[in-house]
Amino acid sequence: MVIKSAEYLISSPSWDKCPKPAWPEYAFIGRSNVGKSSLINILANNEKLAKTSGTPGKTQMINHFVINESWYLVDLPGYGFAKRSMSQRRQWEQMIEQYLRNRPNLVTIFVLIDSRHEPQKIDIDFINQLGEWNVPFSLVFTKADKSTQAEVSRNVKMFLNKMRETWEFLPPHFITSTVKKSGRDAILGYIEELNAQFRAIA
Ligand code: GTP
Ligand code: MG
């Protein structure tokens, strides 16, 4: 897919303040600092679109970006940020749950997993929660440039095996590096396919 335009639209504190659900929407979620905002920028071909940071907890609201004037990319705040208080965490959980369960045009979400690590409980728990809520998702293993290809493959395999313990079918998965700009075409191709399905149903 060719990206002709990518524009920031709005940051919303809750799902009911989000823009009109007129277009197909794809949201990016995962542990704080995993690379959500960086990946959005690579997909959109604009390094300044979503705010990134070396310090976890940068993204705080539900951020909508309009791509090609026909679909939305959404940057969400991450989970597992140690410096948040209990009440802030609960606020995050509520905001995310309500957004994920009430947004009618949300086609799928991309759950980002740091490819440098073996399966982490926090990611598995979040994914199992998605299952309970019936939210469709795919997996994106990020920062593939930071370890060897063999290590990345091993961690991806371990993660998928862990999922097989509770999931009958595995979702699509992608491996990305924003440094090498790898994985971009595969994700955009997948979104293009889903956009076509969304329009066929609508
Ligand atoms: P929060 O908004 O805080 O939840 O973080 P985030 O998930 O949006 O992460 P962000 O995109 O801000 O990236 C966090 C850090 O990881 C930044 O320093 C990025 O430059 C770095 N980073 C992200 N993706 C990659 C990658 O593929 N490779 C490498 N080497 N660094 C990456
Ligand atoms: Mg971010």
Side-chain angles (χ1 to χ4, degrees), residues 90-183:
R90 218 159 273 144
Q91 217 179 336
W92 179 90
E93 275 167 16
Q94 268 185 6
M95 168 174 143
I96 295 298
E97 176 175 355
Q98 287 175 0
Y99 165 76
L100 294 177
R101 300 181 84 171
N102 289 309
R103 193 78 181 142
N105 57 331
L106 185 61
V107 178
T108 196
I109 66 170
F110 291 90
V111 181
L112 275 61
I113 312 284
D114 193 323
S115 70
R116 289 173 296 175
H117 307 305
E118 293 185 357
Q120 306 280 303
K121 184 176 182 309
I122 192 166
D123 294 320
I124 298 286
D125 285 350
F126 181 74
I127 284 171
N128 288 339
Q129 185 70 256
L130 292 177
E132 278 167 38
W133 296 338
N134 270 322
V135 175
F137 66 95
S138 342
L139 301 172
V140 179
F141 295 91
T142 65
K143 307 193 182 185
D145 57 281
K146 287 208 171 197
S147 5
T148 65
Q149 223 176 339
E151 277 166 339
V152 171
S153 305
R154 180 176 153 268
N155 288 335
V156 169
K157 214 169 171 182
M158 276 177 80
F159 197 94
L160 297 178
N161 281 339
K162 183 84 197 154
M163 277 190 73
R164 279 193 186 94
E165 290 173 11
T166 41
W167 292 77
E168 191 177 352
F169 300 105
L170 294 184
H173 74 271
F174 305 91
I175 298 172
T176 61
S177 158
T178 58
V179 173
K180 293 189 179 161
K181 304 203 170 160
S182 53

Side-chain angles (χ1 to χ4, degrees), residues 36-37 51-52 58-59 75-76:
K36 301 174 290 292
S37 304
K51 289 200 180 72
T52 66
K58 179 73 188 169
T59 309
D75 193 12
L76 295 169

